[in-house]
């Protein structure tokens, strides 16, 4: 059989549901784990720069076609905390560039130059993936690495066709950020800032309502009245797409601690977006999620690439030829062994005749001649010659009986030297006497073992007789006794399994007792200097009980009887008796049936509704998503699931509506337009769940309307592009002279975000106000050419 190694990438299988319940289960639907998101080479969309003018801005997100060709604004939107940086011109219908804010640098030793990769190019190979650095602090919209951000911006401008030949960008730039972004992250004076969720709300025609923005880094709730956000009532939930991906990543690592493949964060993010959905009744659905009924549909199987060892089976003709060759080889070996035995037998017979002739020649010879003849054949005396002749005769007789098939009768062992006192024996006799004493001890030990075995057999037969007699005379009492024995064996099996599991836990009681035993052995008379005292021998091992300490250290404090006892076999025998004589005890009560994978909740959780083969590399590289599909999205409504000490989305919305909005008219306006935006609201059932939960905390007569943005991911860019194309952007600009005079923290703060003129204010005075955590309002800072 030949074993080859094959790298397998299985295609995605889509199987329709079986309509007939009695038909066999169809193969499961399999989703493949995605490869690193390397996009390959794409040409730079640089023709947009030729179409722009000096007043055109750079935009990141989709926008409507421009109303006028005379005034373009280039808007670049960097969604704070967003997983992607999207850039384009304000007259584009879609962003020209959409890349992660990643940079990878490494030194090429062959070319002797430093290479830099940006965006999707950082996933080109394992070397670049190992050097990826992100510009943002994880899970936030704060730039923590300005060197990386500089590389991302340079790459973006180059891809847009902007050549910074004069040391600057000759187009205005607009950026968006989340609510309450820290002011120290603003490092450039030539950027316009705007709240992404409000831009999306404006683009979708909103005026009065509650904006629910759940994006990559956080979830914000912003009430808006008369096109003006009420910033004092804005609330934030520290949960977004980044946190959901991280939470799912941790759940999978806990679920599969020994998974042989490599699970990456981009893959987990794709799992969350493709497989997770919002449950409409979380508690009830979670309670029955792992039920076997319908688990084939609820359990999603992710297949990772694996290396399969394929055994190439031979045909029946080839197997027959191999078997015939083995038989022929065996026959040849048997013939060779028989020939070698015959040669040895002939040689032994020749030696026997020679030594017998030598023994005859010694008769009537002088002592000197006898000694000379014995020395020639290397014998010390005539006794040694007699011993050699007897050994040859015994060996020849045994070999002949083996060839014929007869068994040689066992000789009764005799030990004659044990009866002779030591003072009557010479040195050689004393040596033979010690040998016979050892042989006699072995014979007696074997005899004792045989007698103990017969006694044990008789004892078991007597116990079986008494047990049968008790069963015939008192069946209820006998059954009660057997049930008690079964429970006792079950508890011992569980204790052994727990001890086996505690072997890898250094804090368990078993491990602590083991270390205590080792410490006691190591600290036996610690203050004594044995070598200096001249006593190097400590008599350990003189008694057989001394060696039991090693068994205690290895397996715990277990007696010899418990160690030799086969607990599973004994339990199986008792269960067989109960199945035979107890009508209430069925196959479902046996331990084997209880350990069946079809009744194991853990098997359903980790391996789905089908059997699992631990030897299969294909199944070892599979991930099953079941309860995680509803558990991860549910955190937005129940943050305590993931350990977030905050109120849920519904509680925050109810607090804003019922407590912070004091006017009934304002509440009525807000409830009529609850607006959802952000990529984290794209879970299936998110809108329906929020509407249902809000209706439960509102008065019965309240009118509630929940709607979603036309494009929750890109409408913030659309709104920014729409604003950038307007005439008001020129009035909101700050000249270079103003920036040089008032500093980089100076902003023109626009309180009336949508339709009113902006007012100038010092950023420091605004940040120091009571609304410091909600200070990210719509502002614009443009350089003057």
């Amino acid at each position: 059989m030949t074993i080859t190694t094959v790298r397998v990438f299985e295609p995605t299988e889509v199987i329709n549901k079986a309509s007939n319940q009695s038909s066999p289960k169809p193969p499961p639907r399999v989703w493949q784990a995605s490869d690193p998101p390397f996009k390959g080479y794409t040409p730079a969309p640089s023709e947009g720069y030729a179409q722009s003018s000096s007043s055109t801005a750079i935009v990141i997100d989709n926008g409507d076609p421009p109303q006028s060709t005379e005034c373009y604004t280039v808007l670049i939107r960097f969604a704070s905390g967003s997983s992607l940086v999207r850039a384009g011109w304000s007259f584009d219908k879609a962003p020209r560039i959409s890349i992660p804010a990643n940079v990878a640098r490494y030194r090429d030793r062959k070319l002797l130059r430093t290479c830099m990769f940006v965006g999707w190019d950082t996933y080109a190979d394992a070397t670049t993936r190992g050097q990826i650095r992100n510009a943002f602090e994880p899970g936030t919209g704060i730039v923590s690495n300005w060197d990386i951000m500089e590389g991302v911006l340079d790459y973006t401008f180059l891809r847009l066709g902007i050549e910074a030949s004069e040391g600057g960008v000759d187009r205005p730039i607009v950026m968006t950020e989340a609510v309450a972004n820290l002011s120290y992250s603003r490092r450039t004076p030539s950027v316009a800032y705007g709240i992404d969720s409000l831009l999306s709300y404006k683009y979708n025609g909103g005026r009065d309502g509650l904006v629910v923005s759940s994006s990559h880094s956080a979830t914000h709730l912003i009430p808006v009245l008369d096109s003006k956000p009420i910033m004092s009532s804005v609330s934030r939930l520290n949960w977004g797409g980044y946190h959901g991906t991280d939470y799912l990543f941790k759940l999978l690592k806990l679920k599969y601690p020994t998974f042989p493949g490599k699970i990456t964060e981009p893959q987990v993010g794709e799992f969350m977006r493709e497989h997770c959905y919002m449950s409409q009744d979380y508690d009830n659905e979670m309670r029955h999620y792992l039920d076997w009924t319908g688990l084939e549909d609820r359990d999603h199987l992710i297949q990772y690439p694996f290396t399969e060892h394929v055994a190439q089976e031979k045909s029946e003709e080839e197997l027959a030829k191999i078997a015939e060759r083995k038989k022929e080889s065996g026959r040849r070996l048997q013939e060779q062994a028989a020939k070698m035995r015959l040669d040895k037998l002939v040689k032994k017979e020749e030696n026997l005749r020679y030594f017998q002739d030598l023994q005859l020649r010694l008769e009537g010879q002088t002592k000197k001649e006898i000694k000379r003849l014995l020395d020639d054949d290397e014998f010390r005396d005539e006794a040694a010659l007699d011993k050699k002749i007897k050994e040859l005769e015994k060996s020849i007789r045994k070999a002949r009986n083996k060839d014929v098939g007869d068994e040689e009768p066992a000789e009764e062992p005799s030990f004659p030297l044990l009866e002779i006192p030591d003072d009557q024996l010479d040195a050689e006799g004393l040596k033979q006497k010690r040998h016979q004493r050892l042989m006699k001890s072995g014979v007696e030990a074997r005899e004792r073992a045989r007698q103990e075995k017969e006694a044990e057999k008789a004892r078991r037969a007597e116990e079986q007789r008494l047990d049968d007699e008790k069963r015939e005379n008192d069946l209820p009492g006998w059954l009660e006794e057997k049930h008690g024995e079964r429970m006792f064996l079950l508890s011992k099996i569980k204790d052994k399994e727990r001890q086996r599991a505690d072997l890898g836990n250094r804090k368990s009681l078993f491990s602590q007792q083991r270390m205590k035993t080792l410490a006691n052995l190591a600290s036996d008379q610690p203050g004594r200097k044995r070598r200096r005292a001249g006593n190097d021998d400590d008599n350990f091992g003189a008694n057989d009980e001394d060696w039991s300490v090693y068994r205690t250290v290895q397996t715990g404090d277990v007696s010899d009887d418990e160690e030799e006892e086969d607990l599973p076999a004994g339990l199986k025998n008792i269960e067989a008796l109960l199945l035979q004589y107890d009508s209430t005890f069925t196959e479902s009560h046996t331990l084997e049936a209880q350990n069946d994978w079809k009744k194991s909740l853990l098997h359903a959780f980790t391996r789905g509704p089908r059997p699992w083969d631990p030897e299969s590399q294909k199944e070892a590289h599979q991930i099953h998503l079941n309860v995680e599909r509803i558990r991860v999205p549910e955190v937005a409504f129940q943050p305590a699931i993931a350990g977030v000490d905050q109120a849920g989305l519904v509680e925050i919305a109810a607090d804003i509506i019922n407590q912070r909005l004091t006017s009934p008219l304002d509440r009525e306006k807000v409830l009529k337009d609850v607006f959802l935006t952000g990529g984290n609201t794209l879970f299936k059932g998110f809108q329906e769940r929020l509407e249902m939960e809000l209706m439960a905390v509102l008065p019965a007569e309240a009118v509630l309307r929940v709607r979603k943005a036309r494009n929750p991911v890109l409408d913030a860019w659309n709104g920014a592009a729409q604003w950038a194309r307007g005439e008001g952007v020129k009035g909101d600009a700050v000249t270079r002279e103003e920036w040089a005079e008032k500093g980089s923290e100076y902003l023109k703060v626009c309180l009336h975000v949508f339709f009113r003129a902006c007012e100038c204010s010092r950023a420091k005075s605004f940040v120091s106000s009571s609304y410091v955590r909600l200070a990210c309002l719509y502002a614009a800072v443009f350089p003057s050419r």
Side-chain angles (χ1 to χ4, degrees):
M1 181 177 64
T2 305
I3 298 179
T4 58
T5 300
V6 180
R7 188 69 169 171
V8 180
F9 297 88
E10 290 204 340
T12 303
E13 300 178 11
V14 182
I15 305 297
N16 295 327
K17 299 180 182 178
S19 57
N20 188 3
Q21 298 294 333
S22 61
S23 61
K25 288 184 179 180
R29 180 179 179 182
V30 180
W31 285 265
Q32 300 298 319
S34 60
D35 294 329
F38 176 57
K39 304 296 185 180
Y41 173 76
T42 54
S46 58
E47 70 279 358
Y49 181 75
Q51 303 176 20
S52 65
S53 63
S54 60
S55 61
T56 308
I58 304 175
V59 184
I60 298 182
D61 268 335
N62 290 333
D64 294 332
Q67 300 298 327
S68 174
T69 58
E70 297 178 357
C71 179
Y72 293 105
T73 304
V74 181
L75 170 65
I76 294 187
R77 175 184 177 269
F78 291 94
S80 293
S82 174
S83 58
L84 297 178
V85 174
R86 300 180 178 91
W89 302 94
S90 59
F91 51 77
D92 290 332
K93 295 182 179 180
R96 293 173 179 257
I97 299 173
S98 181
I99 60 173
N102 295 337
V103 172
R105 294 187 180 96
Y106 77 95
R107 183 71 177 176
D108 194 316
R109 297 182 179 180
K110 293 183 178 179
L111 301 177
L112 297 178
R113 59 187 300 181
T114 300
C115 302
M116 185 175 75
F117 298 84
V118 183
W120 301 115
D121 296 341
T122 57
Y123 297 98
D125 55 21
T127 303
T128 57
R129 289 195 295 269
Q131 302 295 328
I132 290 179
R133 299 293 183 269
N134 193 271
F136 294 98
E137 184 177 341
T140 69
I142 301 172
V143 178
S144 60
N145 194 325
W146 284 100
D147 292 336
I148 301 301
M149 178 54 71
E150 181 181 0
V152 174
L153 291 175
D154 289 343
Y155 177 83
T156 302
F157 296 144
L158 289 174
R159 297 286 292 178
L160 291 175
I162 299 174
E163 300 260 345
S165 58
E166 299 180 359
V169 178
D170 58 351
R171 295 292 185 273
I173 302 171
V174 176
M175 288 187 177
T176 66
E177 60 183 5
V179 180
N181 205 23
L182 298 179
S183 60
Y184 73 79
S185 64
R186 304 178 180 128
R187 293 300 180 92
T188 173
S190 58
V191 176
Y193 291 89
I195 298 176
D196 49 5
S197 54
L198 294 180
L199 291 169
S200 177
Y201 188 50
K202 176 186 177 183
Y203 180 74
N204 284 269
R207 182 178 180 86
D208 301 304
L210 178 65
V211 178
V212 180
S213 173
S214 184
S215 56
H216 181 70
S217 59
T219 298
H220 294 94
L221 286 84
I222 308 174
V224 178
L225 291 173
D226 296 331
S227 301
K228 176 182 176 181
I230 305 175
M231 304 309 296
S232 59
S233 299
V234 174
S235 295
R236 178 174 65 187
L237 172 62
N238 294 324
W239 187 265
Y242 169 83
H243 306 89
T245 301
D246 184 65
Y247 183 51
L248 180 57
F249 199 3
K250 293 177 180 178
L251 292 178
L252 292 179
K253 288 194 291 186
L254 288 173
K255 189 174 183 178
Y256 301 100
T258 60
F259 188 70
K262 180 175 177 58
I263 305 175
T264 62
E265 289 188 4
Q267 292 173 341
V268 177
E270 184 177 350
F271 297 163
M272 184 182 69
R273 292 187 294 269
E274 186 174 357
H275 302 282
C276 294
Y277 66 94
M278 186 63 66
S279 173
Q280 303 304 309
D281 187 1
Y282 177 76
D283 294 335
N284 183 57
E285 187 171 358
M286 178 63 74
R287 192 177 299 112
H288 301 285
Y289 207 91
L290 294 177
D291 292 349
W292 291 99
T293 303
L295 185 58
E296 294 87 352
D297 298 329
R298 295 190 297 271
D299 184 82
H300 284 197
L301 191 152
I302 311 297
Q303 180 68 64
Y304 273 74
F306 60 95
T307 301
E308 189 68 79
H309 299 287
V310 182
Q312 298 180 358
E313 300 292 341
K314 298 184 180 296
S315 63
E316 295 183 0
E317 183 179 356
E318 292 176 340
L319 293 176
K321 291 181 179 179
I322 293 174
E324 184 62 29
R325 285 198 297 268
K326 288 182 178 180
K327 290 181 181 180
E328 184 64 26
S329 177
R331 283 193 295 267
R332 288 197 300 268
L333 289 175
Q334 291 177 357
E335 293 174 358
Q336 292 176 3
K339 184 178 180 181
M340 292 175 63
R341 288 197 303 270
L342 180 60
D343 294 341
K344 289 182 180 179
L345 180 60
V346 171
K347 188 173 182 180
K348 288 179 181 179
E349 290 177 347
E350 292 177 355
N351 291 336
L352 178 61
R353 287 194 296 269
Y354 173 78
F355 291 139
Q356 288 175 347
D357 293 341
L358 176 61
Q359 192 175 35
L360 292 176
R361 280 188 286 139
L362 294 179
E363 295 179 1
Q365 300 291 337
T366 61
K367 291 184 178 182
K368 185 176 181 180
E369 183 65 18
I370 291 174
K371 186 174 185 338
R372 185 186 67 79
L373 292 174
L374 293 175
D375 289 342
D376 292 342
D377 291 305
E378 299 180 353
F379 287 110
R380 291 190 301 272
D381 50 19
E382 294 186 39
L385 178 60
D386 293 339
K387 182 180 178 181
K388 184 65 175 177
I389 291 174
K390 290 180 180 179
E391 290 177 354
L392 287 173
E393 290 177 347
K394 182 179 179 181
S395 178
I396 292 172
R397 185 169 59 254
K398 184 177 180 180
R400 288 176 177 174
N401 291 335
K402 185 176 181 180
D403 292 337
V404 175
D406 297 336
E407 293 185 0
E408 185 179 2
E411 297 181 359
E412 186 70 22
S414 60
F415 312 100
L417 294 180
L418 298 181
E419 306 296 334
I420 302 175
D422 293 346
D423 54 0
Q424 298 181 11
L425 298 174
D426 55 2
E428 183 64 24
L430 291 174
K431 184 178 179 180
Q432 293 292 330
K433 183 177 181 179
R434 286 194 297 270
H435 179 69
Q436 291 184 7
R437 186 181 291 114
L438 290 174
M439 296 294 293
K440 184 179 180 181
S441 299
V443 171
E444 291 175 352
R446 288 191 292 272
E447 182 63 23
R448 285 196 303 270
R450 184 184 64 80
Q451 293 176 0
E452 290 176 358
K453 188 175 181 180
E454 292 179 354
E456 179 67 17
K457 185 176 181 180
R459 183 185 65 80
R460 290 183 178 179
E462 181 65 18
E463 288 181 354
Q464 183 65 31
R465 186 187 66 80
L466 294 176
D467 188 71
D468 294 342
E469 183 178 351
K470 184 176 182 179
R471 185 183 70 248
E472 294 175 357
N473 298 332
D474 185 14
L475 182 60
W478 180 83
L479 290 175
E480 183 178 358
E481 180 181 349
K482 292 301 176 184
H483 280 288
E485 292 179 3
R486 178 177 177 272
M487 297 304 298
F488 177 71
L489 289 178
L490 285 174
S491 64
K492 291 180 69 174
I493 291 175
K494 291 181 179 179
D495 291 341
K496 279 186 170 293
E497 291 178 352
R498 185 168 57 253
Q499 284 186 359
R500 194 178 300 111
D502 289 343
L503 285 175
N505 184 8
R506 298 194 307 176
K507 295 184 179 180
S508 64
L509 179 61
F510 171 72
S511 296
Q512 292 177 1
Q513 291 177 349
R514 179 174 177 270
M515 295 303 297
K516 184 178 180 180
T517 303
L518 290 174
N520 291 336
L521 289 174
S523 62
D524 189 14
Q525 297 180 355
R528 182 177 177 182
K529 304 294 185 180
R530 292 184 176 178
R531 293 190 178 276
R532 294 183 180 179
N535 185 12
D536 295 340
D537 192 4
D538 60 353
N539 73 2
F540 179 83
N543 300 322
D544 293 339
E545 292 79 5
D546 295 341
W547 302 99
S548 63
V549 68
Y550 293 105
R551 186 182 301 110
T552 303
V553 170
Q554 182 177 3
T555 61
D557 191 9
V558 182
S559 64
D560 294 340
D561 295 337
E562 290 179 350
E563 184 180 3
E564 296 175 0
E565 188 177 5
D566 189 359
L567 298 179
L571 179 64
K572 196 169 183 179
N573 293 334
I574 292 177
E575 290 179 343
L577 292 174
L578 291 175
L579 287 173
Q580 184 178 359
Y581 297 103
D582 189 357
S583 58
T584 61
F585 190 83
T586 62
E587 288 286 349
S588 60
H589 295 92
T590 61
L591 180 62
E592 183 177 357
Q594 293 176 1
N595 291 335
D596 187 7
W597 66 270
K598 296 180 180 179
K599 301 178 181 179
S600 173
L601 185 66
L602 180 61
H603 181 93
F605 175 61
T606 57
R607 303 301 173 185
R610 290 172 175 80
W612 181 60
D613 181 11
E615 301 297 330
S616 173
Q617 289 296 317
K618 175 183 177 181
E619 297 184 14
H621 287 76
Q622 290 177 351
I623 288 178
H624 292 262
L625 295 177
N626 34 61
V627 297
E628 298 85 4
R629 298 180 59 203
I630 62 174
R631 185 176 184 180
V632 174
E634 183 66 21
V635 180
F637 290 86
Q638 301 184 51
I641 294 177
V644 180
D645 189 15
Q646 286 186 264
L649 191 60
V650 176
E651 288 81 359
I652 296 175
D655 178 71
I656 293 175
I657 296 171
N658 296 328
Q659 303 296 329
R660 303 185 189 183
L661 298 179
T662 57
S663 171
L665 182 60
D666 293 344
R667 293 197 199 102
E668 183 179 353
K669 290 181 179 179
V670 168
L671 288 176
K672 288 183 178 180
D673 190 14
V674 177
F675 178 72
L676 304 180
T677 185
N680 211 36
T681 63
L682 291 175
F683 289 116
K684 180 182 178 182
F686 189 95
Q687 180 177 348
E688 294 79 3
R689 172 70 180 279
L690 180 61
E691 185 173 1
M692 180 182 65
E693 295 279 346
L694 283 178
M695 287 298 299
V697 298
L698 295 175
E701 65 277 5
V703 178
L704 176 66
R705 178 175 176 265
V706 180
R707 66 187 178 106
K708 187 180 293 184
R710 283 171 284 182
N711 192 329
V713 177
L714 296 180
D715 275 359
W717 185 89
N718 293 334
Q722 185 183 50
W723 174 83
R725 291 193 298 269
E727 294 294 334
V729 65
K730 296 181 180 180
D732 298 335
V734 176
T735 64
R736 181 177 297 275
E737 289 76 13
E738 288 177 329
W739 176 81
E741 175 186 356
K742 300 175 183 179
S744 61
E745 293 185 353
Y746 175 74
L747 295 176
K748 286 188 175 181
V749 181
C750 180
L751 298 178
H752 299 263
V753 175
F754 296 139
F755 308 112
R756 302 188 181 181
C758 295
E759 300 176 4
C760 295
S761 173
R762 284 291 273 173
K764 283 187 176 180
S765 63
F766 185 83
V767 171
S768 63
S769 66
S770 60
Y771 305 128
V772 62
R773 296 184 59 83
L774 308 171
C776 289
L777 299 182
Y778 205 61
V781 181
F782 284 96
S784 174
R785 295 202 63 196

